[in-house]
């Protein structure tokens, strides 16, 4: 099953994903792999508190701190007996836009094309950007627009979608 968990900053997205992964692992005895970006560059580099790490980060899970080539990582690690958490599409997008290359749309298309073919369950985490004020800076507006469009595209492809509000995951799509 593919899922998207979205919500505001510190809304409980990562905690919800981790709770689901704990439960999944207890019922399936499979591996949990967390893919997270290795560096903070570009727009998100300014805010070091943007991403909090849970104190109870499971040591027996595998963590991959390199997410520039997210599509290949997903294809390489997705198996029916492993659950992948992508934490997060927000950081992945920031990395893509910080590279100042024109391949962002190609990278996005490759990511979207691979989602349906992944054999194992995947939880994508991303920030919801459609409910705040419109940024004044051109780069920040571009980032907010691109993240909103990426979330919409991923949301169409996943079976379940949750919106986190004050630590509570509200199921928006799926059963």
């Amino acid at each position: 099953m593919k899922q998207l968990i979205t919500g505001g900053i510190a809304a409980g997205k990562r905690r919800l994903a981790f709770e689901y992964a704990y439960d999944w692992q207890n019922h399936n005895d499979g591996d949990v792999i967390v893919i997270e970006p290795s560096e903070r560059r570009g727009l998100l580099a300014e805010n070091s508190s943007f991403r909090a790490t849970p104190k109870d980060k499971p040591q027996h899970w595998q963590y991959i701190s390199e997410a520039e080539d997210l599509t290949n990582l997903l294809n390489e690690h997705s198996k029916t007996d492993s659950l992948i958490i992508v934490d997060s599409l927000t950081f992945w997008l920031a990395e893509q836009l910080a590279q100042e290359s024109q391949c962002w749309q190609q990278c996005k298309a490759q990511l979207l094309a691979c989602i349906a073919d992944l054999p194992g369950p995947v939880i994508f985490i991303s920030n919801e950007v459609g409910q705040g004020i419109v940024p004044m800076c051109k780069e920040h507006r571009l980032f907010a627009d691109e993240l909103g469009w990426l979330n919409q595209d991923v949301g169409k492809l996943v079976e379940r979608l949750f919106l986190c509000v004050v630590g509570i995951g509200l199921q928006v799509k799926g059963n």
Side-chain angles (χ1 to χ4, degrees), residues 17-160:
F18 276 37
E19 287 172 359
Y20 180 87
Y22 281 123
D23 187 55
W24 179 89
Q25 196 169 44
N26 286 334
H27 289 91
N28 296 284
D29 197 35
D31 296 324
V32 175
I33 301 163
V34 181
I35 300 174
E36 47 192 8
S38 59
E39 298 177 45
R40 291 191 183 124
R41 295 190 302 228
L43 300 175
L44 301 182
E46 305 161 2
N47 191 349
S48 62
S49 66
F50 187 78
R51 178 184 197 223
T53 302
K55 294 175 184 167
D56 58 344
K57 193 173 182 177
Q59 297 303 308
H60 61 283
W61 290 359
Q62 179 182 353
Y63 296 87
I64 301 172
S65 295
E66 172 56 53
E68 281 188 29
D69 197 354
L70 182 57
T71 300
N72 283 339
L73 286 170
L74 288 169
N75 285 322
E76 178 183 344
H77 293 282
S78 182
K79 297 173 181 46
T80 55
D81 63 344
S82 64
L83 173 108
I84 296 176
I85 298 173
V86 177
D87 184 18
S88 71
L89 292 176
T90 308
F91 281 95
W92 179 73
L93 172 62
E95 289 288 315
Q96 296 298 314
L97 295 177
Q99 293 178 13
E100 298 183 15
S101 67
Q102 297 303 316
C103 76
W104 151 238
Q105 293 298 333
Q106 179 184 353
C107 293
K108 175 184 172 183
Q110 290 171 347
L111 173 65
L112 295 173
C114 92
I115 290 174
D117 296 329
L118 296 171
V122 181
I123 301 173
F124 296 96
I125 299 173
S126 189
N127 284 79
E128 175 56 49
V129 293
Q131 298 178 353
I133 59 172
V134 177
M136 297 288 288
C137 174
K138 179 181 177 182
E139 291 89 9
H140 292 178
R141 279 195 312 274
L142 172 66
F143 176 76
D145 287 345
E146 291 293 347
L147 184 57
W149 294 324
L150 176 62
N151 288 345
Q152 289 178 44
D153 291 339
V154 172
K156 290 175 189 172
L157 299 173
V158 297
E159 290 92 0
R160 292 194 340 184

